[in-house]
Amino acid sequence: MKASLGFTLFLAAGAAGAQTIGIVTTPAGSFSNSAGQAIAKVLVDKAKLRAVVQAQASTGFEEVESGSADFNVSNSFDATFFTTGTGEYQGRGTHPVMRYAGALIPYRVAMHVRADSNIKTIGDLKGKRVSSDFNAQKTIARIIEAHLANAGLSFNDVVRVPAPNVVRQAEDFMSGKVDVMFFALGSSQIKQAHASVGGVRVLEINTAPDALKRVQALLPGAYTVRVGTTPPVEGIAKPTDLVAFDMVLITSAKVSDDVVYRVAQALHDGKQDLVATFPPFGLFQPQNMAKPLMGVEMHPGAAKYYKEIGLLK
């Protein structure tokens, strides 16, 4: 598979004859890759499907569209942009084969600095070294840009340090090449950085309406969450306001109704098992799986299941 960084195969002993499905995620060690591992295990155990998690250097939408993979763990706005041919995908045409299988957990995202850094606010990033470009993962540049915009800044106000993807920028932060690291809370890379640099600290966002509008102009559907200190989270020492948006499961019209139905059912009923593999699934609210996704049609297999349990009319 193109640009593959690696894969993990979950195979249940009793599922030797089961259908194999591919789940594309961002690079190994990223938040969506860890979530994909948990999803795959539940699908093996509950849906009796073989699930291959394929870590990609890029978003993986093309693999799902072409049929070389069946599902993609993505963020909501990037799925909208790819399907509708907007945002980073402007000029590349629409992708009407893409389908939505359900909302999962919120990505609670933040800019992290070293605990002893004199950078106290996002506004203090002016003139500092910030990862940029993200040629293999453009959506990360957009999210960082949205954080800068929250403070009235842009990439023109910082020293840009190009990185190909989210994992490389974390490595650059730990090696001292940049002054700030973007990542979703709960990611293994944050835990690694926290241990590596003597602790990290999250930069809180401004929740004023005008500041939030600047974020939403770049991240449609984004919202704010307040993260507390229980359970403990690396970088959070007091209740802190952050940007959030939904993690969603994307598929295509080429995937059978039966497979998508079984996937939706297994995930809806599998919260406890998801949490056991990846604790951030504690934020998963199965009753919200059928919430609309702008510009992306619900897969009929998922819609059938959600209608049966009363989540869709």
Side-chain angles (χ1 to χ4, degrees), residues 76-91:
S76 55
F77 64 85
D78 210 30
T80 294
F81 288 154
F82 181 81
T83 302
T84 59
T86 56
E88 274 66 50
Y89 308 96
Q90 187 77 42

Side-chain angles (χ1 to χ4, degrees), residues 1 60-69 82 97-98 252 254:
M1 178 167 289
F61 288 120
E62 292 85 356
E63 284 76 11
V64 174
E65 182 184 38
S66 70
S68 61
F82 181 81
V97 74
M98 305 303 286
S252 84
K254 300 175 184 178

Side-chain angles (χ1 to χ4, degrees), residues 77 81 88 109-111 122-123 125 130-131 134 138-155 158 182 203-208 210-224 242-245:
F77 64 85
F81 288 154
E88 274 66 50
V109 298
M111 305 295 280
I122 293 176
L125 291 175
V130 179
S131 297
F134 295 92
K138 293 287 189 183
T139 187
I140 302 302
R142 178 177 287 271
I143 300 169
I144 292 175
E145 185 180 8
H147 280 83
L148 294 173
N150 178 255
L153 302 178
S154 74
F155 274 119
V158 301
F182 162 81
L203 300 179
E204 188 167 34
I205 66 159
N206 181 354
T207 60
D210 59 336
L212 183 56
K213 283 182 180 178
R214 292 194 295 270
V215 172
Q216 292 170 331
L218 289 159
L219 307 177
Y223 48 93
T224 63
L242 302 180
V243 172
F245 40 83

Side-chain angles (χ1 to χ4, degrees), residues 17 45 49 68 87 104 113 118 122 135 149 154 157 170 176 198 232-233 240 248 258 264 274-275 281 293 296 308-309:
D45 294 342
L49 295 164
S68 61
L104 299 171
V113 295
N118 61 4
I122 293 176
N135 291 331
S154 74
D157 297 304
V233 179
T240 303
V248 294
D258 175 67
L274 290 165
V275 173
F281 268 108
L293 177 58
V296 189
E308 287 180 359
I309 61 173

Side-chain angles (χ1 to χ4, degrees), residues 1-284:
M1 178 167 289
K2 180 181 66 176
S4 178
L5 295 180
F7 69 89
T8 300
L9 175 65
F10 288 95
L11 175 59
Q19 180 174 347
T20 299
I21 61 170
I23 304 172
V24 180
T25 74
T26 47
S30 66
F31 190 85
S32 77
N33 178 256
S34 298
Q37 304 284 353
I39 290 168
K41 188 175 188 307
V42 166
L43 297 185
V44 168
D45 294 342
K46 303 295 185 183
K48 305 307 177 186
L49 295 164
R50 293 180 181 180
V52 179
V53 178
Q54 298 159 321
Q56 298 289 91
S58 58
T59 60
F61 288 120
E62 292 85 356
E63 284 76 11
V64 174
E65 182 184 38
S66 70
S68 61
D70 303 284
F71 294 91
N72 180 10
V73 179
S74 174
N75 64 69
S76 55
F77 64 85
D78 210 30
T80 294
F81 288 154
F82 181 81
T83 302
T84 59
T86 56
E88 274 66 50
Y89 308 96
Q90 187 77 42
R92 294 171 56 179
T94 61
H95 299 88
V97 74
M98 305 303 286
R99 295 291 182 270
Y100 174 44
L104 299 171
I105 53 180
Y107 283 105
R108 302 178 302 170
V109 298
M111 305 295 280
H112 299 72
V113 295
R114 293 169 184 255
D116 60 358
S117 171
N118 61 4
I119 300 171
K120 304 299 183 183
T121 69
I122 293 176
D124 291 340
L125 291 175
K126 186 172 183 178
K128 299 299 192 293
R129 299 168 300 166
V130 179
S131 297
S132 65
D133 295 19
F134 295 92
N135 291 331
Q137 209 176 353
K138 293 287 189 183
T139 187
I140 302 302
R142 178 177 287 271
I143 300 169
I144 292 175
E145 185 180 8
H147 280 83
L148 294 173
N150 178 255
L153 302 178
S154 74
F155 274 119
N156 293 330
D157 297 304
V158 301
V159 178
R160 300 169 65 119
V161 180
N165 58 48
V166 69
V167 172
R168 176 67 63 80
Q169 64 98 37
E171 294 169 352
D172 287 348
F173 173 75
M174 287 183 276
S175 67
K177 293 180 181 178
V178 294
D179 299 305
V180 63
M181 176 183 74
F182 162 81
F183 240 103
L185 299 193
S187 301
S188 61
Q189 290 288 331
I190 295 180
K191 299 179 187 298
Q192 183 180 347
H194 186 73
S196 173
V197 304
V200 296
R201 174 168 41 82
V202 163
L203 300 179
E204 188 167 34
I205 66 159
N206 181 354
T207 60
D210 59 336
L212 183 56
K213 283 182 180 178
R214 292 194 295 270
V215 172
Q216 292 170 331
L218 289 159
L219 307 177
Y223 48 93
T224 63
V225 293
R226 171 158 285 199
V227 178
T229 57
T230 305
V233 179
E234 289 83 2
I236 303 288
K238 61 182 179 62
T240 303
D241 292 315
L242 302 180
V243 172
F245 40 83
D246 290 332
M247 172 189 289
V248 294
L249 189 64
I250 298 299
T251 185
S252 84
K254 300 175 184 178
V255 180
S256 74
D257 291 2
D258 175 67
V259 165
V260 179
Y261 179 100
R262 290 158 64 190
V263 167
Q265 182 179 43
L267 295 178
H268 180 273
D269 296 343
K271 177 174 178 174
Q272 184 174 349
D273 297 297
L274 290 165
V275 173
T277 302
F278 189 45
F281 268 108
L283 299 171
F284 179 40

